Amino acid sequence: MDATTPLSPKKRARKLKDFSDGSKRMRYTLMTISIIGGFLLWYFITLIPTINTFLASPKQVLRALVSESAADGRYLKDITISLQRVLIGFGLAFVCSIPIAFLMGWYPKVRNLVEPWIQFMRTIPPIALIPLVILAMGLGEPPKYTIIFVAAFLVMVVTIYQGVKEVDKTLIRAAYTFGASDKDLFVDIVIPASFPYILVGARLGMAASLTTLIAAELTGTTFGLGARIQGAQQFMDTSIVLLGIITIGVIGFVLDKILLFVEKKLTGWK
Amino acid sequence: MEVMHMADLLIDIVDVHKRYKVEKGPSVNALNGVSLSIKRNEFVCVVGPSGCGKTTLLNIIAGLESYDSGSVTMHGQPIIGPGPERGVIFQQYALFPWMTVEKNIEYGLKFIRKRDADGNEVRFTAEEKRELAHHYIKMVNLSGFENSYPKALSGGMKQRVAIARAYALNPEVLLMDEPFGALDAQTRAQLQEDLLRTWEKEKKTVFFITHDVDEAVLLASKVVIMSARPGQIKEIVDIDLPYPRTQATKMDETFMRYKNYIWDTVYKMYLEIPK
């Protein structure tokens, strides 16, 4: 080919791989297709009888939702009790992790005393604590709070403590040059600078609380979404099992969106 | 040799030594017997290869770092910590990202007391702080950005906020650690001019660290050349060019001579450093 031949308009420069999320319209269209497609796929595979024995169809789950939420109000009670456990366990963990994380970030001595234990505990799945917790606390509500507390606390304390430790040192130096005392430094710089980490910690802690919920509800209880899923399995009632699973997913999604909203409101400067 | 009057002497650095301990390895001799006198309203620029201890020297004057021996005094009083009479401007701006431009500039005022009509020490009121902030925002040409957060500003604008923030405390000396090092050439040129205009209007003593010999000669009344390993003052060059200076000053023949001379000196030292 003659070297001077101009490139045809079709032979444009190679387009670079696009790593953006794409346009809003495209995003929403694909999301809708994905959700409807997922439900359709679910519906069609449950038409196969052998699969339907362990996987309920969307229709069956919907029917379970109606009967569960109507009759004796079992579904609502399960949700309420599970939410209560998650929120109490998570709330306690949130309240405790912040001061401990700040103490660890601020005082090297506290950090050295506490950190080995936190790092050690972090590798233990909270489920492994169930026997101990039952022996210590019996079968009431406190053991559930405790298990969720442990899971959420460890995640949050590590995240927030990292944030305190990683406060931009130039900001600290800048505050020092103005004549800020250590107390000013803590209140004016360290706390606001760690705010984003507190909110990220809260989201991770919330996710940990929900995933531990099922484990927490294995400690002898008749109510709660985890217990309900367990119970339904014994009767091979797969529509209830699926309903429970989907409900936990929806709760997690909603709680995360709430925290995400709070994060946007409080750390818009980021 | 010009005679220095004691009244003119602002900061006196005498035979300062500073070593850093390094884990696994010999300690680093950051400053080895550094002596330097800074006069009131002098514009001192420090140049030298990386590792010559210029930032260490600035940190010591700022009171952010200690030294092993020697003395560093301001008005004859030893410097033992940071203070609002010494404003520091960092290369990385160091603006508080959760504060608006206005709040950033107001922040330092919280630590300052002024005298009221009866001679009592009082804090600034919120109204006074805002007025001062607005005055200095205007000075650095950022009116309209009072309520913006730093993330919305360009690098040049951020550094202008940092300069306004330092000026708002009315310090006697500005310590600037490669303040324009992260900016593109045009923004840097503009900020150099802005700094010169501001300095000519509101005279201050400036201690300015830079890698850029052009910048040093353009701004300084005195260029301090430091050598590395150990960090020492190699030579002090008085820049005998009249103010006001502009970017056009760079075309001046005398400017070129200073620049070539200092550049040669620094580059020769750089080549001697084992790499």
Side-chain angles (χ1 to χ4, degrees), chain A residues 94 159 192 194-206 254-270, chain B residues 98 151:
Chain A
F94 187 72
T159 312
S194 348
F195 232 85
Y197 291 87
I198 295 182
L199 292 162
V200 171
R203 284 179 64 201
L204 293 173
M206 184 58 86
V254 171
L255 289 177
D256 192 59
K257 281 281 173 269
I258 293 174
L259 286 174
L260 209 59
F261 176 76
V262 175
E263 187 179 337
K264 277 231 175 75
K265 280 273 152 202
L266 292 179
T267 59
W269 48 266
K270 234 190 123 201
Chain B
W98 55 89
K151 76 162 177 187

Side-chain angles (χ1 to χ4, degrees), chain A residues 5 43 108 115 145 148 151 219 221 239 248 268:
Chain A
T5 313
Y43 173 73
E115 199 176 8
Y145 303 152
I148 294 177
T219 56
T221 176
S239 55
I248 293 172

Side-chain angles (χ1 to χ4, degrees), chain A residues 25-40:
Chain A
R25 203 177 132 196
M26 193 259 276
R27 262 193 353 250
Y28 284 127
T29 316
L30 288 181
M31 218 188 284
T32 316
I33 292 175
S34 166
I35 291 168
I36 295 174
F39 272 96
L40 282 177

Side-chain angles (χ1 to χ4, degrees), chain B:
Chain B
M1 189 72 196
E2 90 187 84
V3 180
M4 195 179 346
H5 299 286
M6 278 311 283
D8 284 341
L9 180 64
L10 184 66
I11 294 172
D12 202 14
I13 301 160
V14 182
D15 197 26
V16 166
H17 289 257
K18 165 94 184 180
R19 271 179 178 280
Y20 287 109
K21 285 196 182 61
V22 183
E23 235 176 287
K24 291 180 208 153
S27 64
V28 174
N29 203 351
L31 294 176
N32 189 30
V34 169
S35 296
L36 179 67
S37 297
I38 302 172
K39 284 180 281 181
R40 187 187 308 281
N41 296 345
E42 205 169 20
F43 202 128
V44 180
C45 280
V46 184
V47 294
S50 308
C52 71
K54 47 194 193 299
T55 296
T56 306
L57 189 58
L58 181 137
N59 285 339
I60 287 174
I61 301 174
L64 290 168
E65 265 185 62
S66 63
Y67 45 97
D68 303 333
S69 65
S71 82
V72 181
T73 55
M74 181 162 172
H75 295 302
Q77 301 294 314
I79 289 174
I80 47 167
E85 72 285 356
R86 281 161 285 141
V88 184
I89 291 164
F90 300 89
Q91 184 180 5
Q92 289 311 324
Y93 325 123
L95 300 180
F96 304 121
W98 55 89
M99 294 183 196
T100 59
V101 167
E102 187 182 306
K103 293 287 169 208
N104 260 288
I105 297 172
E106 285 179 13
Y107 180 71
L109 292 169
K110 149 177 182 174
F111 303 104
I112 297 205
R113 303 289 178 270
K114 53 155 197 170
R115 297 213 176 268
D116 67 3
D118 304 324
N120 300 317
E121 288 208 337
V122 290
R123 291 163 184 273
F124 287 92
T125 63
E127 186 55 38
E128 289 170 327
K129 283 193 206 167
R130 193 162 47 239
E131 269 170 29
L132 270 170
H134 282 232
H135 171 77
Y136 286 101
I137 288 170
K138 213 171 143 201
M139 182 187 86
V140 295
N141 296 320
L142 280 176
S143 298
F145 290 95
E146 289 82 359
N147 297 316
S148 304
Y149 285 98
K151 76 162 177 187
L153 307 179
S154 69
M157 290 159 93
K158 282 183 195 161
Q159 199 55 290
R160 284 195 263 167
V161 176
I163 291 171
R165 185 171 68 171
Y167 258 90
L169 305 193
N170 194 23
E172 287 177 74
V173 50
L174 284 177
L175 306 169
M176 308 179 83
D177 190 359
E178 293 190 43
F180 308 147
L183 305 175
D184 64 81
Q186 287 73 30
T187 310
R188 183 191 294 207
Q190 200 194 351
L191 281 175
Q192 286 166 352
E193 290 230 358
D194 289 350
L195 180 63
L196 279 167
R197 295 298 86 77
T198 315
W199 180 74
E200 285 151 10
K201 242 188 311 189
E202 266 188 60
K203 274 276 160 69
K204 296 233 180 279
T205 310
V206 182
F207 183 87
F208 188 109
I209 289 178
T210 179
H211 268 114
D212 184 346
V213 174
D214 258 58
E215 183 169 79
V217 178
L218 178 66
L219 300 174
S221 50
K222 179 160 110 183
V223 173
V224 175
I225 306 171
M226 290 186 74
S227 64
R229 280 157 229 208
Q232 273 170 330
I233 292 180
K234 167 114 175 154
E235 197 174 339
I236 297 176
V237 182
D238 286 312
I239 305 296
D240 207 356
L241 284 166
Y243 293 96
R245 299 179 192 165
T246 63
Q247 292 297 327
T249 308
K250 289 184 178 173
M251 302 299 151
D252 191 284
E253 214 179 300
T254 327
F255 178 94
M256 304 272 203
R257 266 208 308 279
Y258 281 124
K259 180 191 144 183
N260 291 340
Y261 175 72
I262 295 169
W263 170 260
D264 272 354
T265 315
V266 173
Y267 192 57
K268 267 184 209 135
M269 288 188 307
Y270 169 79
L271 291 178
E272 281 164 17
I273 298 171
K275 280 176 278 284

